[in-house]
């Protein structure tokens, strides 16, 4: 399966390859993963079954996308980890779970075991999408939507989060950085030989900052640029922590520009706050998950990682 071709066919308008160069440039190869790849013999590459573990939150689990295979974690068998594993013929252990924060990696999430428990010395590849729930992104969007009626043409959300003279969301992004760092160190400790990829968040809002205030996207016109910038700050922080802790970073934002929640059905890969496709609000739909899988594929090719 060629995920890039599959996604180009389903979008009917744009391919994903325009983000490939950025993804390549953003790639920071894990020293341990690179060593493991270079040390493999040709025979080992053809016989070894790659053990892949997917960690993360709802942007990895694919809530609402058919077919849901884990009701507790709202996990789909068409999420990007499943698509990636099928394309590469990897053995996947997917413990991504909606609502997960960095705390859920090392500790339980309700009745779910700590996600890090899925890792071991035989783990070859790890993907991790985390940080959005630490930021409280869904709650923040609900807050912003609730403020829209007071000033639909202004920026009441930005005013609310900066009312004390500091940008509280930007501060939260900074506060999350040590948690991402600790998570990456914990992954490396549990899976010392694995190639580790931090997978960023796709483009939720129009990259040009021009909004689409409506019943489906009840956000004030002036707040789209603020929310876009907040997401970019989160992704930039995640990328920086990945680089500092020997992991790769997968840019899913660039290849999804132009397919945000403001685009019409058929063009959007992110659902609006009132979803129309089978997916969670403000989350990737099936095409969005395909785009994320393709971005990981691009990053793996750029990193020359082979088994």
């Amino acid at each position: 399966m060629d995920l890039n071709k599959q996604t180009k066919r389903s979008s009917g308008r744009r391919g994903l390859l325009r983000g490939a160069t950025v993804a390549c440039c953003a790639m920071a190869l894990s020293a341990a993963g690179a060593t493991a790849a270079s040390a493999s013999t040709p025979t080992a590459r053809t016989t070894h079954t790659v053990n892949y573990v997917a960690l993360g939150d709802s942007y990895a689990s694919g809530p609402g996308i058919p077919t849901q295979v884990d009701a507790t974690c709202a996990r789909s068998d068409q999420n990007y980890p499943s698509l990636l594993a099928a394309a590469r013929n990897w053995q996947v252990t997917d413990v991504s779970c909606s609502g997960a924060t960095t705390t859920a990696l090392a500790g339980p999430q309700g009745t779910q075991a700590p996600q890090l428990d899925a890792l071991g010395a035989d783990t070859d590849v790890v993907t991790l999408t985390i940080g959005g729930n630490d930021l409280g992104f869904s709650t923040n969007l609900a807050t912003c939507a609730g403020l829209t009626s007071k000033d639909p043409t202004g920026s009441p959300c930005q005013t609310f989060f900066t009312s004390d003279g500091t940008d509280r969301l930007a501060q939260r992004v900074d506060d999350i950085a040590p948690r991402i760092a600790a998570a990456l160190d914990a992954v490396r400790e549990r899976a010392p030989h694995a190639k580790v990829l931090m997978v960023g968040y796709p483009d939720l809002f129009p990259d040009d900052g021009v909004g689409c205030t409506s019943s489906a996207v009840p956000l004030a016109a002036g707040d789209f640029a603020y929310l876009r910038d907040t997401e970019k700050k989160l992704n930039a922080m995640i990328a920086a922590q990945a680089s500092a802790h020997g992991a790769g970073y997968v840019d899913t934002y660039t290849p999804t520009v132009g397919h945000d929640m403001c685009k019409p059905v058929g063009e959007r890969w992110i659902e609006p706050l009132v979803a129309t496709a089978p997916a969670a609000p403000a989350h990737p739909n099936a095409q969005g998950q395909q785009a994320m899988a393709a971005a990981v594929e691009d990053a793996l090719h750029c990193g020359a990682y082979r088994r």
Side-chain angles (χ1 to χ4, degrees), residues 27 29-40 45 48-52 84 88 90 122-126 193-197 296-307:
M27 198 66 186
L29 284 175
S30 156
T35 300
S38 63
S40 298
R45 283 198 294 271
H48 177 74
T49 298
V50 172
N51 292 314
Y52 163 41
L84 180 66
R88 292 225 155 197
W90 286 350
D122 63 343
T123 302
D124 297 302
V125 182
V126 179
H193 309 298
K195 172 78 184 102
V196 181
L197 295 170
V296 179
E297 273 279 1
D298 283 340
L300 289 165
H301 284 303
C302 292
Y305 180 73
R306 300 288 186 274
R307 279 287 188 180

Side-chain angles (χ1 to χ4, degrees), residues 100-117:
T101 65
T102 50
T103 301
L105 297 176
Q109 181 182 349
T111 59
Q112 300 299 303
Q115 292 190 24
L116 292 178
D117 287 359

Side-chain angles (χ1 to χ4, degrees), residues 58-81:
S58 54
Y59 281 76
S61 69
I65 298 172
T67 298
Q68 294 283 291
V69 294
D70 186 315
T72 301
C73 285
R75 188 183 306 125
S76 170
D77 65 359
Q78 296 299 304
N79 61 355
Y80 83 75

Side-chain angles (χ1 to χ4, degrees), residues 222-250:
D223 281 327
F224 284 89
Y226 173 66
L227 292 168
R228 173 206 62 196
D229 291 346
T230 299
E231 184 188 357
K232 286 187 173 183
K233 288 184 178 77
L234 178 63
N235 276 335
M237 179 275 288
I238 291 171
Q241 292 303 316
S243 178
H245 292 268
Y249 174 71
V250 180

Side-chain angles (χ1 to χ4, degrees), residues 261-275:
M261 66 173 66
C262 283
K263 297 301 182 287
V265 173
E267 291 184 30
R268 67 172 174 247
W269 297 344
I270 303 296
E271 287 302 298
L273 275 63
V274 179

